[in-house]
Amino acid sequence: MFYCYSCYVPVETVPVEDIPIVKLPLKIDIIKHPNETDGKSTAVHAKLLASEDVTIYTYPCIPDYEEMQHEIALIFPGPNSISISNIPLSLQAKCKMDTKGLLAEPAPKSAKWDPSHSSIMSEDKLPKSGNALKKIVFIDSTWNQTNKIITDARLQGLLQIELKSRKTCFWRHQKGKPETYLSTIEAIYYFLVDYHKEVLKEKYDGQYDNLLFFFSFMYRLIRKAKDSAGKK
């Protein structure tokens, strides 16, 4: 009714000028499970509202993150996940480990020394240090379907981050799952708010609130319909 699920643009009857544009502090990749129903996914909300900073891929299509592993993180809970507040230290530690690995690579015995082929890498080829991310990756899937994506070898080298526990307001509650299991757009929103305050160390003044523009609209619409029907 409001936007196309596959090309990520509003339908002609929706005035484009009424849809807010949100600028994000980093890029976002969303890896969508092929069996995820387009009409039930909130990932498209992020693409509609922050089109310049959000890219959606359908699994098994995953970008090559190998050369930028020290600047990218995967948002997903797990035994090795860190909190958002620990991002700066974790990135610095990962950068040092990557640098040691690059420096430790031995040169072939038969090779003659040449600056362009030296096993001691020049500064421009070393990982850039820093305490801020350039990109974050989200998985768009029901929780029962995430295992296939999260275990993919192409994601294993990424820093993994777990969000603070917050209760979802999504109207399609996943049966048997706790209220702390967020929809994709909720997870993106909460991550950015915490990242803004805890990593960028800046005052949050609602910069990303419009990411919930479609979510809040649909929530109110569905809530009103259920109230009218006398449903809980």
Side-chain angles (χ1 to χ4, degrees):
M1 183 181 292
F2 304 109
Y3 51 81
C4 176
Y5 301 132
S6 56
C7 53
Y8 315 128
V9 295
V11 297
E12 292 181 355
T13 55
V14 176
V16 177
E17 60 271 17
D18 291 344
I19 299 176
I21 297 174
V22 185
K23 185 62 182 174
L24 307 184
L26 33 62
K27 301 297 182 181
I28 292 178
D29 282 356
I30 299 173
I31 312 299
K32 181 177 173 292
H33 194 284
N35 294 335
E36 179 72 0
T37 304
D38 289 338
K40 294 181 178 181
S41 171
T42 61
V44 64
H45 296 182
K47 181 62 179 177
L48 282 161
L49 298 165
S51 59
E52 292 185 0
D53 298 317
V54 177
T55 305
I56 299 177
Y57 300 91
T58 300
Y59 188 82
C61 181
I62 295 179
D64 183 4
Y65 297 127
E66 188 172 356
E67 293 185 2
M68 294 180 60
Q69 282 190 4
H70 52 284
E71 299 172 332
I72 304 175
L74 173 66
I75 312 302
F76 198 84
N80 298 319
S81 297
I82 64 166
S83 65
I84 290 176
S85 60
N86 286 331
I87 289 176
L89 288 177
S90 297
L91 285 178
Q92 290 173 11
K94 183 172 178 57
C95 185
K96 289 179 180 178
M97 289 179 64
D98 291 344
T99 303
K100 287 180 180 179
L102 289 168
L103 295 176
E105 185 179 341
K109 291 182 179 180
S110 59
K112 293 182 179 180
W113 186 87
D114 186 313
S116 63
H117 297 91
S118 174
S119 61
I120 301 178
M121 301 188 72
S122 58
E123 289 186 8
D124 62 317
K125 292 185 178 181
L126 291 176
K128 295 179 181 179
S129 61
N131 58 7
L133 293 166
K134 288 189 176 180
K135 181 178 289 187
I136 48 174
V137 181
F138 288 87
I139 294 175
D140 184 48
S141 166
T142 62
W143 285 95
N144 291 330
Q145 296 174 332
T146 55
N147 187 63
K148 184 176 182 180
I149 300 178
I150 193 64
T151 56
D152 192 289
R154 293 168 290 181
L155 299 177
Q156 299 312 301
L158 299 182
L159 186 68
Q160 202 163 313
I161 299 172
E162 185 168 359
L163 300 178
K164 293 179 180 177
S165 294
R166 291 184 171 93
K167 290 186 178 180
T168 182
C169 291
F170 194 39
W171 46 92
R172 291 192 183 94
H173 183 67
Q174 295 186 43
K175 188 176 181 181
K177 303 299 180 183
E179 292 181 337
T180 53
Y181 280 28
L182 306 174
S183 65
T184 301
I185 194 63
E186 288 177 301
I188 292 173
Y189 169 73
Y190 283 126
F191 170 84
L192 290 171
V193 172
D194 290 343
Y195 184 81
H196 190 90
K197 294 187 290 187
E198 297 183 31
V199 178
L200 300 183
K201 302 295 183 182
E202 297 178 10
K203 180 182 178 182
Y204 183 70
D205 194 25
Q207 291 91 330
Y208 316 121
D209 286 3
N210 276 333
L211 282 175
L212 299 177
F213 177 79
F214 286 106
F215 185 91
S216 60
F217 173 77
M218 292 299 297
Y219 177 86
R220 291 193 299 268
L221 199 67
I222 293 170
R223 180 74 177 268
K224 184 178 179 180
K226 286 186 175 181
D227 289 344
S228 298
K231 296 181 179 179
K232 188 174 180 181

